[in-house]
Each structure stands twice: as structure tokens, then as C-alpha cells.
Amino acid sequence: MLSRGSNLEGESGELADSLQRRLAADPDRPQYHFLPKANWVNDPNGPIFWKGYYHLFYQYSSTIEPQGPKWWGHARSKDMVFWEHLPMALVPTPGGPDKDGCWSGSAFINGGLPTLIYTGVFPQVQCLATSDDGMTTWKKVSGNPVVGAPPTGLVVTGFRDPSIWREGDSWLMTVGSGFQRQGGAVLLYGSKDLARWDYLHPLCSAPPFERRDSAGSSPYEPVDAGDMWECPDFFPLGQKHVLMVSTQGRVHYLIGTYSDRKLQVETHGLIDGSGLHYAAKSFKDDRGRRILWGWVREARSAAAQNAAGWSGAISLPRVLSIEPEGALRMDPLPELARLHGHHHRDADLEVKGFIPAPQIQGSSLEIQLAMDLGDAKEGGISARRSPDAVEETTISYQAATHQLVLVTTRSSLSRDAGGGMYQGALKLKPGEPLRLTVFLDGSVVEVFANGRTCLTGRIYPTRSDSLGVGIFAKEGRARVKSLDAYEMKAISPNRFTA
Ligand code: DQQ
């Protein structure tokens, strides 16, 4: 059943012609990030590889404001770059434990049978669904909810977003939770048959992360107090184990040793410094790589999202590994190079002040910069710049503070667009050049710096000529070792031509 104000004419996803025309003409709408055909997307759910296809599910709502109950959208791909939409996987069942929404969760294969585990609301309970037709349609199991309440005696801040794996002859499941004014927690359950679950203990719990204000987060969404850990994701990586949790508008990673079914945390950091990349979810692909997806949130008013007819995007896939020093490494999926079109290269340039790169223009680009900072205090890229620079987005490294900085405060003249100065710690080693990979895709900016620091931004330039690119160095001279820019192809079929 569709909510009032829905933009879809049916679960098959037919869109009204007028909406298709609006989406086709929208310069803010990404062209190579995965999106539903229209309307609202938030968390990526249940990424999995099965029988030759990568499947991606996602939190979907057919309305934007007020947010309707959540469904699970579904798409598949041969390469994690080009996608094919499939029918909605999960829709709330009237009168059922998920009557008010099918919230985040995971996908797994149980003895050959594709299975989803997710949170039904309200109250928050854990449910299962299976597919016996090759992941085309999904049936909820009759025993739902399989976990109907938090552990007896625990007063928790939430109880949602199950994640599951096999250990010996048991299934183990984490559920995101926490304790008021104490901090988040990930609750660990065990089961032999998926039907009966026993609560074991917290896999990991912690005092609240250092309190952050909401400056780096979307100005249009509240940031919680950090006492609820959403979307836990737990997996082995190299010789260590990694737990990701989403809280206070950010995704934190905790790396440590897993023993006695508990995580002893040894180091931690942020998946993305901006607060606009949230609810990250990963999976192990068919080549053994650990791939991470996230929800790219909006930084514009609800009215602007409503007027656009769509909200949110799924991030580009990131390949995770562990650096020799123990921090998490994140690189864009190499297959994204399939989107490369026209290529322009510059090399060996001295930079003092601002240098335009007139051959590089556009809103759908991948830009790779390798730069020696020299004695410059700051150096980086200016993008989506209007000829008179009234609109401009900058990505730079500040040598004194060891910060990667993404500034979107001047990206748009529109009052509906929220901007920010987003920062991520990045300490360059002696002699190490700054290596930036910047993906520009309509209103989405994703920045990877030296594999160690990522920043995601949203920009909504108003001027059709805000397409310029340049390089800058402040208070000193820097050297561009190489500057490569690629025009990026659009991914169909969720693109519309006007
Ligand atoms: N979004 C889901 C919840 C999750 C939150 C609901 C994180 O399951 O905790 O759409 O963004």
C-alpha cells in the first residue's frame, strides 16, 4: 500500500511522466551513484554476492516529507558499477511485526536459501524473510518476530539493525543498542536454527564517543547523543576484527582482537569526517575483498528535497584494508574506472596561488591529484567553480593542522543549501605527496585522501556555469606531480532522458 503523497504508481516503480522529466532535468541528481528511481533512500542494507550478481538492498520510502514507513528496495549488478532495479524486497505487512516499517538489516545464505534479517517497528523486533525464486520475491517467515524484545532486564536506547554470521555450528547475530547516558552497545546473540535466539553478552560497549556538535552534520537532521549504536557491522580484516557503528551522525570504526566472542578494541577512527556518509554496511565479495557502502545524506532543506522528488544516495563502494600502522584504509572500488570517459592529464606544474585548469570542466568527474606541498601552508583543488568564483567548492590539505578540509559554504547561492567546513585528520609522512581522488557527481562530492581519510559532501550550485576546476597553493609554492581528470559516464537504468 502506498502512503499519501507517494511518487510511485505501484511497487513495480512506474513513475509519472512529469516526475521523470523533472528528474531528468535536475542538475543536482547524481549520474553514477546508485539511487532509487525517485523518492527517499537512506541506509544500504544486506549487500551480498550470490550466483554471479552483487545484490544491494536499501532503506526506501515512497514519500520524502514526512518520511513514510521504510521498505527494502533491491537492485543487482554484475560489477557494482552498473545496476538493475528489482522489485521492492520488503514492504510492511499490515498487522504484522513490521507494520510500521522494515528497518535495516542484513542478507545471508542459509543452506542455499537467500535470507534477510531485519528490524520490524514499532516496537523494534528482529524478523526473517526468505526467497525461493532466486531473490526475486521474498516471503516473511511465519515465526516472526524471531527476537521479540531486548534481553530481559536491560533498559536499552534501541534494538535494531541485525547483522549475522556463521561461527562453528551456530549463527551469531549483533543488534545495535545502547544504554542511556552510558554509551552505545552491540548486543550479541546466538542460535542453532535461526528461530530461537539466546542473548549472550555485549560484543562491545563503550562510554560515549567524544561529544561532537552538529556543525559537520546535515543541518536538517538532528544528531543523537551517542548512546545508541546503529547499524553495527562486524567482520575479520587482515589479522584483526573490525566493528563499525553509526552514532552521532558519524560512522566509527573500532579495530581490535576478537576472543571469547568479545571485541577488545585497540584503535578507532572515523569512516568519514563529514557526517554526510552514514549507516555504513559492508560485505565480502567473490574475490575476498571487503567492500563498504554508505548512505549519502542531504544537506538541503526538506522543502528542497520535496520539490526535487528525491532524497539521499548510496555512496560509491570503498575497498577496506588495514594499513601497516593499524588504521583502516579505504580506496575507491577499482571497477569504477569503467565509468571513465574523456581523460585530460597535466603533470609537473608549479603552483602559487590559484591556477585554473580550463580543459577540465563539469559536474560528473573523477579528479586525481598528486601534489607535493613544498613550503605551501595549504594546497588542493577548487571544483564546481563559477568563472567569477561566487560559487566554489574546495578540497585541500592544511599542513600545520594535518587536516584534510572540504569547504562547501560557498558551493551554492541558494538559501536552501546547507554548507559546511568538514575536516578529517590526515598526517602525511615525510616526503609523502598529497594524493586526492575527488568524485563529483551532481550534488555529491566524495573525497579519498591517501587511502586514509575520506570526506563526503553535498553541494547544490545554482549557476549553470559553476563547472570550473583549478588547483591552488596558499602561502608558499607547491608542485603538482600529476593531475588526471576523467569525465564520468552515467549509469542506467535509473536515468531518464528529458
Ligand atoms: N536507519 C534505519 C534504522 C537505522 C537507521 C531506519 C540508521 O534501522 O538504525 O531507516 O540510519
Side-chain angles (χ1 to χ4, degrees):
M1 203 176 63
L2 292 172
S3 319
R4 264 199 314 164
S6 164
N7 275 324
L8 282 182
E9 288 171 352
E11 273 173 45
S12 60
E14 297 306 312
L15 295 182
D17 287 351
S18 57
L19 177 61
Q20 287 199 28
R21 281 196 294 278
R22 193 154 29 113
L23 296 171
D26 184 346
D28 294 330
R29 191 164 161 84
Q31 296 300 303
Y32 59 89
H33 281 73
F34 174 76
L35 299 169
K37 288 181 184 172
N39 303 321
W40 170 278
V41 58
N42 57 299
D43 313 354
N45 293 151
I48 193 167
F49 179 81
W50 191 66
K51 295 199 172 173
Y53 283 97
Y54 302 96
H55 288 260
L56 183 65
F57 303 86
Y58 55 90
Q59 290 282 282
Y60 171 80
S61 173
S62 59
T63 61
I64 294 171
E65 243 281 306
Q67 287 177 31
K70 296 290 158 58
W71 299 2
W72 274 44
H74 184 193
R76 70 177 185 178
S77 167
K78 284 277 188 196
D79 59 4
M80 290 186 265
V81 178
F82 295 93
W83 293 90
E84 174 190 353
H85 287 292
L86 295 175
M88 288 289 148
L90 297 174
V91 174
T93 299
D98 62 8
K99 61 184 183 334
D100 292 317
C102 304
W103 284 18
S104 288
S106 306
F108 61 105
I109 306 298
N110 172 27
L113 185 67
T115 306
L116 306 179
I117 187 155
Y118 66 100
T119 299
V121 292
F122 293 102
Q124 294 173 17
V125 295
Q126 315 318 322
C127 301
L128 290 169
T130 59
S131 174
D132 57 14
D133 61 2
M135 291 208 192
T136 305
T137 60
W138 298 83
K139 291 190 188 101
K140 297 169 187 174
V141 306
S142 58
N144 279 338
V146 289
V147 186
T152 316
L154 291 190
V155 181
V156 295
T157 46
F159 186 60
R160 59 182 179 269
D161 310 335
S163 194
I164 194 166
W165 69 97
R166 191 89 179 141
E167 208 172 280
D169 62 352
S170 295
W171 291 102
L172 290 187
M173 168 174 72
T174 55
V175 182
S177 191
F179 307 105
Q180 210 151 27
R181 286 183 292 279
Q182 288 176 43
V186 175
L187 306 181
L188 186 67
Y189 283 78
S191 173
K192 294 276 186 223
D193 59 5
L194 298 173
R196 194 199 130 157
W197 288 89
D198 297 314
Y199 172 59
L200 304 176
H201 50 250
L203 170 78
C204 181
S205 59
F209 290 114
E210 186 189 334
R211 186 84 181 90
R212 288 172 175 270
D213 61 28
S214 58
S217 185
S218 166
Y220 298 105
E221 289 169 66
V223 170
D224 65 80
D227 55 11
M228 171 63 203
W229 283 358
E230 299 182 302
C231 302
D233 196 44
F234 183 58
F235 49 89
L237 192 65
Q239 303 306 309
K240 297 289 176 186
H241 271 74
V242 179
L243 173 66
M244 293 190 305
V245 293
S246 295
T247 193
Q248 292 186 272
R250 285 176 169 73
V251 183
H252 298 253
Y253 67 81
L254 309 159
I255 302 181
T257 302
Y258 178 56
S259 65
D260 297 330
R261 293 185 167 166
K262 290 185 180 153
L263 179 70
Q264 312 299 335
V265 178
E266 290 152 12
T267 177
H268 67 94
L270 287 173
I271 289 291
D272 200 291
S274 75
L276 293 170
H277 183 284
Y278 196 63
K281 185 85 181 163
S282 75
F283 79 113
K284 191 172 164 185
D285 79 357
D286 52 321
R287 293 159 54 178
R289 298 176 299 182
R290 179 57 57 172
I291 314 281
L292 173 135
W293 307 88
W295 164 32
V296 181
R297 292 160 58 181
E298 295 287 337
R300 57 181 167 170
S301 67
Q305 294 172 49
N306 253 324
W310 65 279
S311 172
I314 299 294
S315 74
L316 296 176
R318 299 180 182 178
V319 184
L320 303 185
S321 55
I322 296 201
E323 288 265 284
E325 293 83 4
L328 193 69
R329 183 177 176 91
M330 293 173 276
D331 292 291
L333 186 83
E335 289 92 314
L336 291 166
R338 292 182 188 168
L339 296 169
H340 287 172
H342 178 73
H343 175 209
H344 177 80
R345 183 178 174 89
D346 281 311
D348 208 21
L349 299 173
E350 191 177 84
V351 193
K352 190 170 179 255
F354 175 78
I355 305 184
Q359 290 93 338
I360 308 175
Q361 287 256 318
S363 59
S364 199
L365 297 174
E366 177 183 339
I367 305 170
Q368 298 169 0
L369 171 71
M371 177 187 250
D372 279 329
L373 260 285
D375 61 358
K377 301 268 184 310
E378 183 174 351
I381 297 176
S382 161
R384 299 301 307 269
R385 180 182 164 110
S386 60
D388 57 3
V390 295
E391 288 186 334
E392 177 187 33
T393 298
T394 61
I395 303 112
S396 61
Y397 178 70
Q398 293 180 347
T401 56
H402 305 293
Q403 293 288 320
L404 176 73
V405 186
L406 165 64
V407 182
T408 64
T409 45
R410 293 196 308 111
S411 298
S412 173
L413 295 171
S414 165
R415 284 214 207 129
D416 277 317
M421 181 171 149
Y422 308 111
Q423 303 198 30
L426 174 66
K427 195 153 187 170
L428 294 182
K429 296 167 198 155
E432 182 185 10
L434 172 67
R435 292 190 184 279
L436 292 179
T437 302
V438 178
F439 293 95
L440 298 172
D441 189 7
S443 54
V444 175
V445 182
E446 286 198 65
V447 181
F448 293 73
N450 295 58
R452 303 202 286 280
T453 305
C454 290
L455 293 174
T456 297
R458 295 305 299 269
I459 55 172
Y460 309 92
T462 58
R463 294 211 354 203
S464 58
D465 59 355
S466 291
L467 298 170
V469 171
I471 304 299
F472 64 91
K474 292 186 184 168
E475 296 181 54
R477 282 172 211 276
R479 178 159 290 277
V480 170
K481 292 162 75 82
S482 58
L483 173 67
D484 290 277
Y486 300 88
E487 286 172 9
M488 296 293 268
K489 294 175 195 151
I491 57 169
S492 51
N494 51 332
R495 303 285 86 84
F496 308 105
T497 40

